[in-house]
């Protein structure tokens, strides 16, 4: 399979815009697709700011920044992905929604295109089953934020071909990423370990073992984690954490993966983390600290 020259990214929020930025920085012509024009506008600003930070730190030249921006195109028209060599979806962590997108991409993209999912937990085999090209469907899970984090988790579905795997590995290497490979089991490697730890931190808060501050401080100073689990959950998005725990619980069938009621309660209340200004912690300026709600 020839080296990819063009990249389509579906979903323009933090993960999608970061993946699109990576592609543009490494010489690919990139289409960033989102049905929400406002989200595309935010992504444009975010990518421009991020590239300028790379310039200010001396990591890329101003010319390289300008060239990268010139290789990016923002669109709400899925038909513009027809000529893309490689497509990565980075939309909501919902199997049904992703399957609908893969059905549509399968219809409009060229027959040689690879369809990759940035899912952090959902079965690649089941996503691939929605297409007529399961051998060209693969998991390519970037860490957040993609331009900074060094890891990519590659997940082969039951029918993913060696050719697709090697092309995906080559693209990750082009992005200067370290690659780990997982079998197609719920949560793969990273979230199979990370999300139960975050869920247990919520149980520790829920049962009154300690305050959120002490839980996070304990893990940062006691285990040398750069961010405490509750703070990290806010950064990831509590709704994303909950979705992944549900996938783990359903896919692995063990009660130890049942989402903590406190996590469920926060998501039900719309407290999903940094992106909305409040989660476990309150990030709104001038706001009073949020008191723990009563145990369910």
């Amino acid at each position: 399979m020839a080296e990819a020259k063009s990249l389509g990214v579906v979903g323009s929020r933090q993960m999608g815009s970061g993946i699109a930025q990576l592609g543009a920085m490494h010489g690919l012509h990139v289409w960033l697709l989102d049905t929400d024009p406002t989200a595309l506008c935010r992504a444009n600003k975010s990518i421009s700011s991020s590239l300028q930070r790379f310039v200010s730190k001396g990591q890329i030249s101003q010319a390289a920044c300008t060239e990268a921006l010139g290789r990016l195109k923002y669109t709400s028209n899925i038909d513009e992905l027809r000529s893309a060599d490689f497509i990565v979806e980075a939309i909501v962590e919902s199997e049904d929604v992703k399957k609908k997108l893969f059905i549509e991409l399968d219809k409009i993209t060229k027959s040689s295109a690879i369809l990759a999912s940035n899912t952090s937990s959902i079965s690649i085999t089941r996503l691939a089953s929605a297409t007529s090209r399961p051998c060209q469907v693969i998991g390519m899970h970037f860490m957040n934020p993609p331009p900074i984090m060094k890891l990519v988790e590659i997940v082969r579905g039951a029918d993913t071909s060696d050719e697709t795997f090697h092309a995906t590995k080559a693209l990750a290497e082009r992005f200067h990423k370290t690659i780990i490979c997982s079998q197609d089991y719920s949560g793969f490697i990273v979230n199979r370990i990370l999300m139960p730890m975050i869920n247990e931190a919520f149980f520790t808060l829920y049962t009154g073992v300690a305050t959120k501050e002490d839980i996070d401080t304990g893990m940062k100073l006691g285990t040398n984690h750069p961010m405490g689990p509750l703070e990290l959950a806010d950064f990831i998005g509590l709704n994303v954490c909950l979705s992944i725990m549900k996938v783990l619980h359903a896919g692995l069938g063990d009660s130890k993966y049942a989402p903590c009621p406190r996590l469920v309660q926060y998501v039900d209340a719309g407290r999903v983390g940094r992106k909305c200004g409040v989660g476990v912690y309150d990030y709104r300026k001038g706001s009073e600290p949020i008191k723990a709600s009563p145990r369910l």
Side-chain angles (χ1 to χ4, degrees):
M1 186 174 287
E3 182 182 60
K5 295 181 179 178
S6 55
L7 174 69
V9 180
V10 185
S12 68
R13 299 190 185 276
Q14 190 168 18
M15 292 302 295
S17 62
I19 296 166
Q21 177 182 324
L22 269 176
M25 288 174 71
H26 290 90
L28 294 168
H29 293 281
V30 180
W31 291 270
L32 181 55
L33 172 75
D34 202 298
T35 55
D36 182 358
T38 303
L40 284 174
C41 184
R42 283 197 301 267
N44 189 346
K45 292 177 181 177
S46 173
I47 291 171
S48 297
S49 297
S50 177
L51 286 169
Q52 283 300 328
R53 285 194 294 273
F54 276 90
V55 172
S56 66
K57 293 176 181 178
Q59 295 173 317
I60 62 172
S61 67
Q62 185 61 56
C65 171
T66 302
E67 289 170 6
L69 289 171
R71 286 189 286 266
L72 271 162
K73 183 172 183 181
Y74 302 86
T75 182
S76 292
N77 181 6
I78 195 170
D79 287 337
E80 294 203 44
L81 302 186
R82 286 183 182 277
S83 60
D85 297 321
F86 200 104
I87 295 173
V88 181
E89 70 78 13
I91 61 172
V92 63
E93 192 73 354
S94 162
E95 183 172 334
D96 289 342
V97 176
K98 288 182 187 292
K99 276 185 173 178
K100 287 177 183 176
L101 173 63
F102 270 76
I103 289 169
E104 196 167 1
L105 290 172
D106 189 40
K107 290 176 181 176
I108 66 101
T109 55
K110 59 187 182 182
S111 60
S112 60
I114 290 173
L115 306 181
S117 175
N118 184 57
T119 180
S120 56
S121 63
I122 296 169
S123 167
I124 300 302
T125 301
R126 291 202 300 270
L127 295 179
S129 71
T131 76
S132 64
R133 60 179 97 181
C135 62
Q136 291 162 238
V137 177
I138 195 164
M140 191 179 192
H141 178 212
F142 292 82
M143 305 299 128
N144 190 21
I148 304 297
M149 299 295 281
K150 295 180 180 180
L151 189 71
V152 166
E153 191 174 36
I154 295 179
V155 186
R156 297 177 69 152
D159 296 314
T160 303
S161 68
D162 289 343
E163 191 176 22
T164 296
F165 169 76
H166 290 303
T168 305
K169 183 173 181 285
L171 184 60
E173 288 171 343
R174 184 172 175 178
F175 293 163
H176 305 301
K177 299 301 185 185
T178 297
I179 298 156
I180 59 173
C181 300
S182 172
Q183 297 296 317
D184 190 19
Y185 292 105
S186 299
F188 315 135
I189 300 169
V190 174
N191 281 329
R192 174 79 176 262
I193 298 166
L194 174 64
M195 286 301 157
M197 183 193 74
I198 287 175
N199 196 50
E200 195 61 31
F202 272 96
F203 270 114
T204 306
L205 179 66
Y206 175 63
T207 55
V209 172
T211 65
K212 57 183 180 289
E213 293 85 2
D214 282 353
I215 292 166
D216 280 346
T217 299
M219 294 305 292
K220 284 189 286 188
L221 300 185
T223 62
N224 206 28
H225 288 197
M227 192 180 288
L230 298 175
E231 184 184 4
L232 178 58
D234 274 352
F235 181 74
I236 294 168
L238 303 192
N239 55 328
V240 176
C241 295
L242 178 58
S243 293
I244 295 170
M245 287 308 303
K246 287 179 177 178
V247 169
L248 289 173
H249 192 210
L252 299 173
D254 193 316
S255 60
K256 72 180 181 180
Y257 297 111
C260 175
R262 177 61 57 83
L263 173 60
V264 175
Q265 183 189 49
Y266 280 7
V267 173
D268 286 347
R271 290 169 52 172
V272 296
R274 282 183 175 270
K275 57 190 170 186
C276 79
V278 61
V280 180
Y281 295 92
D282 195 338
Y283 303 93
R284 298 168 296 189
K285 291 182 179 179
S287 59
E288 292 294 324
I290 289 183
K291 296 179 180 178
S293 49
R295 183 176 174 181
L296 295 176

